């Protein structure tokens, strides 16, 4: 793609936004709506691999089926000179990973606000039969008005997808991968909830709970080792928040939250009652002090 190229007589390329292993993302002007958009188009080399082409097309189809304020919106999908593309809303902001790299971690109330919005996005996807499979800070965007947007549905799958091979199952970022997925089980709501819990942990500590030199060792730690205490890494985290994270990250999927809605309800309690975070405010409320 070149600057000033116009795709389908509508999207005028302005600049390069980024490049991944599979696709290139450009900033473009929508000549009809007069708004800036992000045009994601598969690379010519990568589309030669049928697997890559299938994943890109699945991402476009899956994301386009979802309409929620906390999910990056797909405006249009099509083909340009034989290459599939999708047009997304342009997020003027950063990813959670970008912010973590600079700040190190978020405050408890900030992390809870982020997770409330992120669980809302996951809930909407799950209600429409979509399992994201790759929830992590790199795939979560913060817009200029602090709205959280879940994106990158490249390896998402549908709950009713009965055809799942082992190579398809063990896909995703190993630091956020539920133990049952590493063991060859089918992705489901519980595995997304596990990734939500790991993300919550990282927002509060700046670290993932399990790390090692090789992906296999990381996966084994998810399977075998006890979840580290988030409060040992961040003393400002109250026990109530640690309980939420630990429940989301139970080794046994049946012991986790049954839905993203249940997890969101517990997070909402904190946002509605800050005394669950601030012990001092709790005692002030108890003794009637201001």
């Amino acid at each position: 793609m070149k600057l000033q190229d116009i795709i389908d007589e509508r999207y005028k390329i302005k600049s390069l936004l980024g490049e991944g292993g599979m696709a290139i993302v450009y900033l473009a002007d929508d000549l009809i709506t007069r708004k800036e958009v992000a045009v994601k188009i598969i690379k010519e080399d990568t589309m030669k691999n049928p697997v890559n082409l299938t994943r890109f097309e699945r991402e476009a189809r899956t994301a386009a089926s979802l309409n929620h304020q906390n999910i990056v919106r797909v405006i249009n999908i099509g083909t340009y000179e034989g290459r599939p593309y999708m047009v997304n809303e342009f997020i003027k902001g950063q990813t959670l990973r970008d912010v973590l790299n600079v700040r190190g971690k978020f405050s408890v109330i900030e992390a809870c606000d982020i997770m409330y919005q992120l669980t809302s996005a996951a809930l909407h996807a799950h209600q429409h039969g979509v399992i994201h499979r790759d929830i992590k800070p790199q795939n979560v965007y913060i817009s200029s008005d602090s709205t959280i947007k879940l994106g990158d549905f490249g390896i998402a799958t549908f709950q009713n997808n009965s055809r799942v091979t082992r190579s398809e199952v063990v896909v995703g970022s190993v630091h956020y991968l539920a133990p049952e997925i590493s063991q060859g089980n089918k992705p489901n709501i519980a595995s997304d909830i596990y990734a939500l819990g790991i993300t919550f942990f990282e927002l509060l500590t700046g670290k993932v709970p399990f790390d090692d030199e090789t992906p296999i060792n990381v996966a084994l730690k998810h399977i075998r080792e006890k979840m580290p205490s988030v409060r040992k890494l961040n003393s400002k985290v109250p026990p109530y928040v640690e309980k939420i994270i630990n429940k989301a990250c139970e080794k046994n999927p049946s012991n986790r939250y049954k839905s993203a809605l249940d997890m969101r309800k517990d997070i909402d309690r904190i946002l509605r009652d800050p005394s669950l975070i601030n012990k001092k405010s709790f005692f002030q409320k108890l003794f009637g002090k201001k």
Side-chain angles (χ1 to χ4, degrees):
M1 299 294 298
K2 300 176 184 177
L3 299 185
Q4 306 303 313
D5 277 356
I6 300 178
I7 297 177
D8 288 346
E9 301 181 350
R10 178 170 180 177
Y11 307 108
K12 187 175 183 180
I13 302 299
K14 294 177 65 176
S15 63
L16 175 68
L17 284 177
E19 182 175 346
M22 187 183 300
I24 302 174
V25 184
Y26 296 94
L27 178 65
D29 280 328
D30 185 331
L31 300 179
I32 294 178
T33 65
R34 302 296 179 183
K35 293 182 178 180
E36 289 183 321
V37 294
V39 177
K40 186 174 184 177
I41 187 164
I42 194 169
K43 293 179 178 178
E44 289 187 65
D45 289 340
T46 55
M47 72 176 289
K48 294 176 183 176
N49 184 331
V51 173
N52 291 333
L53 186 59
T54 298
R55 283 184 181 172
F56 186 89
E57 291 175 339
R58 180 170 57 188
E59 176 182 8
R61 186 177 70 253
T62 303
S65 71
L66 302 173
N67 183 16
H68 190 271
Q69 67 268 23
N70 296 122
I71 294 176
V72 176
R73 185 165 62 93
V74 175
I75 299 169
N76 200 358
I77 55 177
T79 303
Y80 178 72
E81 295 183 350
R83 294 159 64 189
Y85 72 86
M86 71 180 88
V87 181
N88 297 335
E89 64 173 316
F90 174 55
I91 309 297
K92 293 182 179 179
Q94 299 176 297
T95 66
L96 288 183
R97 168 61 56 226
D98 295 330
V99 179
L100 282 170
N101 287 344
V102 174
R103 291 184 49 181
K105 59 187 175 184
F106 290 89
S107 71
V108 174
I109 197 69
E110 287 172 333
C112 288
D113 180 55
I114 290 168
M115 290 306 303
Y116 180 90
Q117 296 183 66
L118 193 50
T119 51
S120 296
L123 174 62
H124 180 80
H126 295 163
Q127 288 174 333
H128 288 77
V130 175
I131 307 298
H132 188 279
R133 300 176 73 190
D134 204 18
I135 296 173
K136 59 183 179 180
Q138 292 91 317
N139 291 339
V140 181
Y141 301 82
I142 308 177
S143 65
S144 55
D145 65 355
S146 298
T147 300
I148 296 300
K149 302 259 187 182
L150 177 61
D152 294 277
F153 284 76
I155 62 171
T157 189
F158 289 91
Q159 292 179 54
N160 59 2
N161 181 15
S162 58
R163 183 181 176 275
V164 180
T165 65
R166 184 170 181 83
S167 62
E168 273 288 289
V169 169
V170 189
V171 174
S173 302
V174 69
H175 290 95
Y176 308 85
L177 204 62
E180 69 272 12
I181 304 303
S182 298
Q183 295 171 306
N185 291 308
K186 183 179 176 181
N188 55 28
I189 288 173
S191 52
D192 268 0
I193 286 174
Y194 187 90
L196 287 168
I198 299 294
T199 298
F200 203 175
F201 183 102
E202 189 173 8
L203 294 181
L204 292 166
T205 65
K207 301 177 181 179
V208 288
F210 303 110
D211 199 8
D212 210 303
E213 294 181 356
T214 68
I216 292 176
N217 286 343
V218 174
L220 288 174
K221 286 187 175 183
H222 279 286
I223 294 168
R224 299 173 178 172
E225 294 189 8
K226 182 181 178 181
M227 185 73 178
S229 170
V230 66
R231 299 184 69 224
K232 285 187 177 180
L233 293 173
N234 183 350
S235 60
K236 294 182 180 179
V237 177
Y240 182 81
V241 171
E242 184 170 50
K243 287 181 180 179
I244 294 174
I245 293 172
N246 288 344
K247 185 173 179 63
C249 296
E250 285 279 357
K251 302 295 185 189
N252 186 338
S254 63
N255 293 334
R256 294 176 205 150
Y257 287 103
K258 303 304 179 188
S259 70
L261 176 61
D262 291 341
M263 186 175 179
R264 190 180 72 177
K265 284 179 179 178
D266 280 352
I267 294 169
D268 189 44
R269 281 192 64 199
I270 301 169
L271 296 174
R272 291 177 179 274
D273 185 5
S275 69
L276 292 169
I277 295 176
N278 190 331
K279 292 181 179 179
K280 184 177 179 181
S281 68
F282 173 79
F283 286 110
Q284 286 175 336
K285 183 188 294 185
L286 183 64
F287 294 107
K289 296 180 180 179
K290 297 182 178 180

